[in-house]
Amino acid sequence: MKVLNEDLDALLIFAGLFSAVLTAFVVPSYLLLQPDNSQLTVQLLVQISAQLARFEILPPFINSTASDASASPAFQVSTSARWMNCLWFLSLIFSLSSALFGILAKQWIREFLQWKKVAATPRENILLRQLRIEAWEDWKVSVGISAIPALLELAVVLFFTGLVVLVWTLDTVVAIVITAAVSVVILILCTVTVLPAVYRRCPYKSPTGWACVITVDALTLVIMWIGERLRWLLKCIEILLLFLFVFLAICPFYALGKIWQWNIQPAKELAIACLSRILRFNHDKRNSLPLFPRFSNWRDRDLYIDDLGSTEISNFNDVGLPHDRVLSAKICAAKDICEVIPLVRALSWVRKGTEDPHLLKHVAKLAGSLHTDGVCAEDRYYVLTYVLRKFHSAKSESRKLHSLSELENQIQLKAYDRVGREQMVFRGGIFSAYKYLDPPVGNLLDYSNVWVLGYLLIGDTMLKSSTHVHLCLLRHFLAVHDDNTFHTICRIQLQKIYNDAMSSQSDSHQKLRRCGLHTMVLEILCSVSEVRIVRGTGAISADRPRISADSIDNEIRLAIQMFDQNTGYSDHYARHQFVMMADLVIRSLDDCYVRNKDLMCALLQKMSEAVTISLEKGYQNCGCYHDLPWIGSMLSLSDWGLRFWMSSQPLWSLLDVLEKSLPTAGSNDENGDGGDDPGEGGNSGVCVPPFAKRRVVRENFFTLKEKVETLTLRPRTPGCV
């Protein structure tokens, strides 16, 4: 109501000013519709003067030689005068009518707003308000009030047209200039009025524009209706033409009788059947219309997202959605993209303009749930990656939208490695996530964009269908995004994912463990928090942020704690976690430091014990779900990291037991392709490497052993040296 009141106030002011200007033109123009008395007087005086000038005196007479003036022609109104007065009087009528209806509308609004009376009961006030608002909507009062400015716009157009007619009666040069100016103004007015009917996201919205929308939609609906009716008729005509072509091409004249019996008669029956089908279709469909989106207001129209209403997707193949998806899933994904991208921009604008923690909390919650309900969890991955690539390309110099395969290849090359059958492991150390994307998102996108996309990413990561790419992107965002609130939320959510994956026996959580995603979650947690195991349970606690940025003492303690709490090294989940946590420590030694070297010495001893127990009980790969990664990780360490952080005595002890656990390279295994370890107490799903891989493992180990021999001497006395 407030908006309508303000619009009416502006309309009344303009209508008053315009009517005053218009009156200045109307007053002299209506005189052109009647004879000019002053002009008639001038003509009579001219005639008398001519007679007096030609008097002749012939006594006793005075004669005038002037000829008798013929009677004055009858008065005729010019065509231009008629046009000017018609246009200007109509303009004045429409202008005053808009002011009149505006006053009436303000009275309606005033009466509508007087539903609340202090002396009345709340029940009566609420009842009266509801009755009035229902009547307001049923009688389409808002639509009528919105149409009032159209009268004023029409009045202005009529005034301009009459002005053009006037100047053409005065001077040609002036008329050309004024006509050009008026044409430009009217052309712009028509353009901004019609454009919203063609482009749904066009912001030039007005009541006259809505009338154009209704007109265009009605024409489109009529065309669709006619096409639906003619579809069967055109099909029948096509069939008849086909039969006619066959008849003229292959049928000789002497077989006309047989042709009539074999071809013409069936074609006639087919034509009758098609005609009856068309008539039945028209009878059944005469009261129905083709499916077409119809809207009641601008808001509903703007919120309707399709390929005509949005320019966010130039080519749907860029989304990367699998081709076997059904059409409805593709439509939902496209609609979700067209809604998520503007929402990300909007929330980024809010984030850029405020530091209010209460408001940011609500914005973060909204950013984590931007997807529409119709998009399945699997398709949200493609929506997320497309949105990220879209923002990335908008800020890059080339403006090129990289394909999904390019993004996935870059992440696989720098972020993770595929090992075993279906397991994924991170590459690099605990702080290597900054280089996952080139350039990093923090260098290319605004801080506010990274902030919103980060919360959207953590919202998708919480889904059970989250992938290793989700985790790689989340780890990269955590590395480039230093928002404490974001880190806290990520710690809470990732802790829940890990604990659920370790305690639940559901299919989705078992899949997480088989793919190694729970280990990747644990590594992400280690990069942002001080992780510890809750004593007596397999659950972890990550409620505290990471204190020391470059120290990995906490990760060493965590690995030792995993080994100590796994009594007898019997729990296969805990075995795998210990192997991967120890490997994370080794991979991080080049980029981090160890404050307490005794911890590193203790970890190497635990690793030796784990290998020894695995040899005794037949655990393949020391209990890891895939190939034991320790040898490759130590081999990739720099000479400085290997010599400075690893004490010689426990390192050589570990190498000795690892050498005993090396797979044999016998010729009888040459054709083996690996399989699950069937031994009692073995890991379910542990992969036995084939012959070629066994040979690589042995070569890597002896290369590592030679490297260690050149860096450290084998100690003769036990202890950490």
Side-chain angles (χ1 to χ4, degrees):
M1 295 300 173
K2 181 180 179 181
V3 175
L4 291 176
N5 247 330
E6 293 175 352
D7 291 344
L8 290 174
D9 291 338
L11 181 142
L12 291 175
I13 294 173
F14 181 77
L17 295 175
F18 177 72
S19 299
V21 173
L22 183 58
T23 304
F25 287 86
V26 171
V27 169
S29 67
Y30 83 90
L31 297 177
L32 300 176
L33 301 176
Q34 59 187 2
D36 190 351
N37 293 329
S38 60
Q39 185 66 26
L40 181 60
T41 302
V42 171
Q43 291 178 358
L44 292 175
L45 291 175
V46 169
Q47 183 179 355
I48 293 172
S49 176
Q51 290 177 349
L52 292 176
R54 298 192 179 188
F55 277 156
E56 292 183 358
I57 301 175
L58 297 175
F61 301 102
I62 299 176
N63 297 326
S64 175
T65 60
S67 60
D68 294 337
S70 60
S72 300
F75 174 75
Q76 291 184 350
V77 180
S78 64
T79 304
S80 60
R82 287 194 177 97
W83 275 106
M84 282 189 297
N85 281 275
C86 287
L87 293 172
W88 284 345
F89 273 103
L90 284 175
S91 178
L92 183 61
I93 291 173
F94 289 149
S95 176
L96 295 177
S97 298
S98 65
L100 175 62
F101 292 140
I103 294 174
L104 290 175
K106 287 185 70 68
Q107 293 174 352
W108 301 338
I109 295 173
R110 183 188 61 189
E111 185 61 31
F112 175 83
L113 295 177
Q114 290 180 352
W115 57 269
K116 185 176 182 180
K117 184 177 289 187
V118 179
T121 61
R123 180 182 181 278
E124 182 180 337
N125 288 335
I126 295 174
L127 176 61
L128 179 60
R129 180 190 179 279
Q130 186 62 27
L131 292 175
R132 287 188 175 182
I133 197 170
E134 290 178 358
W136 186 279
E137 294 174 354
D138 292 340
W139 286 81
K140 309 293 183 184
V141 181
S142 298
V143 177
I145 294 176
S146 300
I148 295 176
L151 292 175
L152 197 55
E153 294 175 9
L154 181 59
V156 174
V157 173
L158 293 175
F159 170 72
F160 282 157
T161 308
L163 190 63
V164 170
V165 175
L166 173 63
V167 294
W168 275 104
T169 63
L170 302 178
D171 185 78
T172 304
V173 176
V174 176
I176 292 174
V177 174
I178 299 302
T179 302
V182 170
S183 300
V184 170
V185 172
I186 294 179
L187 179 62
I188 294 175
L189 177 63
C190 294
T191 302
V192 299
T193 303
V194 175
L195 279 179
V198 181
Y199 302 99
R200 288 183 180 164
R201 299 187 70 181
C202 180
Y204 306 143
K205 296 174 174 61
S206 63
T208 50
W210 184 251
C212 291
V213 169
I214 295 175
T215 303
V216 172
D217 288 351
L219 290 176
T220 306
L221 197 60
V222 169
I223 293 173
M224 293 176 63
W225 184 83
I226 294 175
E228 193 75 15
R229 291 294 191 274
L230 294 179
R231 184 164 57 90
W232 289 100
L233 179 60
L234 294 176
K235 190 67 176 178
C236 293
I237 294 175
E238 181 182 356
I239 294 174
L240 292 177
L241 290 177
L242 179 62
F243 274 106
L244 181 61
F245 173 78
V246 173
F247 171 75
L248 295 176
I250 64 174
C251 297
F253 290 103
Y254 62 86
L256 289 178
K258 293 294 183 181
I259 292 172
W260 175 267
Q261 181 181 357
W262 295 342
N263 294 329
I264 303 299
Q265 195 68 25
K268 181 180 179 181
E269 296 175 358
L270 178 62
I272 294 174
C274 292
L275 181 61
S276 62
R277 175 70 179 85
I278 294 173
L279 294 176
R280 185 171 66 254
F281 178 82
N282 288 333
H283 177 75
D284 295 339
K285 298 289 185 177
R286 65 179 184 271
N287 294 325
S288 63
L289 295 174
L291 183 61
F292 184 76
R294 285 171 285 182
F295 313 100
S296 59
N297 50 52
W298 288 115
R299 179 184 177 87
D300 294 341
R301 193 172 187 268
D302 289 343
L303 290 176
Y304 182 80
I305 303 294
D306 61 356
D307 55 344
L308 296 177
S310 178
T311 58
E312 304 295 352
I313 306 176
S314 56
N315 186 357
F316 187 76
N317 292 328
D318 294 334
V319 179
L321 206 67
H323 296 291
D324 58 352
R325 288 288 195 276
V326 296
L327 180 61
S328 59
K330 294 180 179 179
I331 294 175
C332 288
K335 181 179 179 181
D336 191 47
I337 290 173
C338 295
E339 292 181 359
V340 168
I341 292 179
L343 286 173
V344 171
R345 295 195 192 103
L347 296 181
S348 299
W349 176 79
V350 176
R351 177 63 186 91
K352 190 180 298 184
T354 184
E355 293 293 338
D356 183 9
H358 183 69
L359 177 59
L360 291 180
K361 180 180 178 181
H362 290 285
V363 174
K365 182 178 180 181
L366 180 60
S369 57
L370 293 182
H371 294 287
T372 56
D373 296 334
V375 182
C376 63
E378 291 79 5
D379 292 346
R380 293 188 181 190
Y381 164 73
Y382 300 98
V383 174
L384 172 67
T385 52
Y386 181 84
V387 172
L388 179 61
R389 289 183 285 124
K390 186 76 172 180
F391 277 91
H392 200 273
S393 64
K395 298 293 184 179
S396 62
E397 295 181 358
S398 62
R399 301 283 180 173
K400 177 185 177 182
L401 180 66
H402 296 284
S403 64
L404 178 60
S405 60
E406 292 176 343
L407 175 65
E408 291 177 339
N409 292 336
Q410 182 180 3
I411 292 177
Q412 182 176 4
L413 182 64
K414 297 183 178 182
Y416 73 94
D417 190 16
R418 188 183 298 271
V419 295
R421 294 175 178 174
E422 55 181 4
Q423 291 85 11
M424 312 291 174
V425 294
F426 278 126
R427 296 178 185 266
I430 195 171
F431 298 118
S432 61
Y434 188 82
K435 301 177 182 178
Y436 284 176
L437 294 180
D438 185 24
V441 293
N443 293 354
L444 196 60
L445 300 183
D446 294 337
Y447 176 81
S448 57
N449 294 137
V450 177
W451 190 88
V452 176
L453 290 174
Y455 281 103
L456 176 62
L457 178 59
I458 187 60
D460 288 350
T461 306
M462 283 301 297
L463 300 174
K464 294 181 180 179
S465 60
S466 60
T467 64
H468 53 281
V469 179
H470 278 106
L471 297 178
C472 294
L473 290 174
L474 181 61
R475 191 177 185 185
H476 178 71
F477 270 77
L478 286 169
V480 302
H481 191 32
D482 58 353
D483 184 74
N484 293 329
T485 305
F486 177 68
H487 282 214
T488 302
I489 293 177
C490 288
R491 290 200 310 270
I492 296 173
Q493 303 292 358
L494 292 176
Q495 175 183 324
K496 184 178 185 302
I497 293 176
Y498 180 85
N499 290 333
D500 290 345
M502 295 302 294
S503 60
S504 175
Q505 298 299 323
S506 64
D507 294 339
S508 59
H509 289 117
Q510 289 183 9
K511 181 181 178 181
L512 284 177
R513 294 194 292 267
R514 286 196 306 269
C515 297
L517 296 184
H518 68 302
T519 305
M520 300 175 76
V521 170
L522 182 60
E523 291 192 22
I524 297 175
L525 280 172
C526 290
S527 65
V528 295
S529 62
E530 299 286 342
V531 182
R532 65 183 186 278
I533 297 179
V534 180
R535 187 170 297 278
T537 65
I540 63 171
S541 175
D543 53 352
R544 293 184 300 179
R546 188 178 183 87
I547 300 175
S548 55
D550 298 331
S551 172
I552 56 171
D553 288 24
N554 185 74
E555 284 66 41
I556 299 176
R557 293 190 188 94
L558 182 62
I560 295 174
Q561 190 179 11
M562 287 179 175
F563 181 84
D564 292 339
Q565 290 194 8
N566 187 11
T567 306
Y569 207 58
S570 58
D571 187 352
H572 60 92
Y573 291 147
R575 289 197 296 265
H576 175 76
Q577 289 298 84
F578 168 73
V579 172
M580 297 308 300
M581 183 54 59
D583 185 67
L584 174 64
V585 172
I586 297 173
R587 287 184 276 121
S588 304
L589 288 177
D590 278 340
D591 301 324
C592 304
Y593 67 93
V594 181
R595 291 181 178 178
N596 188 353
K597 289 188 177 182
D598 292 338
L599 285 175
M600 192 65 206
C601 180
L603 177 60
L604 292 174
Q605 292 174 354
K606 300 297 182 182
M607 294 166 66
S608 301
E609 293 180 23
V611 177
T612 303
I613 296 174
S614 299
L615 287 173
E616 294 175 355
K617 297 187 177 182
Y619 299 151
Q620 291 287 341
N621 303 321
C622 203
C624 184
Y625 293 166
H626 47 81
D627 296 339
L628 186 64
W630 293 345
I631 297 175
S633 298
M634 287 189 289
L635 187 60
S636 63
L637 276 178
S638 63
D639 295 346
W640 179 88
L642 193 62
R643 181 178 64 251
F644 190 79
W645 296 122
M646 292 193 175
S647 302
S648 58
Q649 175 63 39
L651 177 58
W652 277 107
S653 299
L654 176 61
L655 292 178
D656 290 340
V657 293
L658 282 176
E659 186 173 3
K660 297 177 182 179
S661 67
L662 288 178
T664 59
S667 59
N668 57 339
D669 293 332
E670 187 170 352
N671 296 326
D673 57 354
D676 291 343
D677 179 21
E680 184 179 355
N683 286 11
S684 175
V686 173
C687 182
V688 179
F691 170 73
K693 188 173 292 186
R694 296 179 189 182
R695 184 174 58 188
V696 173
V697 171
R698 293 179 62 86
E699 291 176 355
N700 288 341
F701 174 79
F702 288 112
T703 303
L704 173 64
K705 189 174 181 180
E706 293 176 1
K707 182 178 180 180
V708 174
E709 287 176 348
T710 59
L711 296 176
T712 61
L713 296 176
R714 181 186 291 270
R716 297 180 179 179
T717 57
C720 293
V721 180

